[in-house]
Amino acid sequence: MNKNDLISAVADTSGLSKNDASNAVEGVFESITTALSKGDEVRLVGFGTFSVAKRKASTGRNPRTGEPMNIPASNQPKFKAGKGLKDAVN
């Protein structure tokens, strides 16, 4: 399922127009992104938790040349599925 499929599914399920469903989906994505960029956690009971993990700087190897390279520290988005989502999938 891609973003357009998700928008169509939301429109069909909720009875909204595709334009309204698109605005709703975009709003959810934007809200989650904004919260994560502030360092907050987004917890959706029964679905899962979005959080930010801090990755330390490390030294890696360039796969082409084999020479060492520095990998800078970064923040990585994480998602942990909730019990309701796990049960629905299994």
Side-chain angles (χ1 to χ4, degrees), residues 1 8-9 12 16 23 29-30 33 36 38 42-44 48 51 58 66 77-79 82-83 86:
M1 174 181 274
S8 295
D12 293 342
L16 295 171
N23 290 338
F29 290 162
E30 186 176 323
T33 303
L36 292 178
K38 291 179 183 175
V42 178
R43 191 175 303 234
L44 305 172
S51 62
S58 62
K78 286 177 52 174
F79 176 75
K83 184 174 178 0
K86 288 179 187 176

Side-chain angles (χ1 to χ4, degrees), residues 2 21 32 39 60 63 69 71 76-77 83 88:
N2 62 30
I32 291 172
M69 58 187 285
I71 301 170
Q76 301 293 316
K83 184 174 178 0

Side-chain angles (χ1 to χ4, degrees), residues 55-59 69-76:
R55 185 176 282 177
K56 294 180 182 177
S58 62
T59 303
M69 58 187 285
N70 291 325
I71 301 170
S74 63
N75 293 328
Q76 301 293 316

Side-chain angles (χ1 to χ4, degrees), residues 1-83:
M1 174 181 274
N2 62 30
K3 192 174 184 181
N4 287 332
D5 295 339
L6 177 62
I7 290 169
S8 295
V10 169
D12 293 342
T13 305
S14 65
L16 295 171
S17 69
K18 277 200 175 185
N19 191 27
D20 290 342
S22 175
N23 290 338
V25 169
E26 289 291 336
V28 169
F29 290 162
E30 186 176 323
S31 297
I32 291 172
T33 303
T34 301
L36 292 178
S37 67
K38 291 179 183 175
D40 294 340
E41 189 175 81
V42 178
R43 191 175 303 234
L44 305 172
V45 176
F47 183 73
T49 303
F50 295 92
S51 62
V52 176
K54 297 185 186 309
R55 185 176 282 177
K56 294 180 182 177
S58 62
T59 303
R61 294 213 172 268
N62 183 330
R64 265 191 206 159
T65 63
E67 56 183 63
M69 58 187 285
N70 291 325
I71 301 170
S74 63
N75 293 328
Q76 301 293 316
K78 286 177 52 174
F79 176 75
K80 183 177 179 189
K83 184 174 178 0

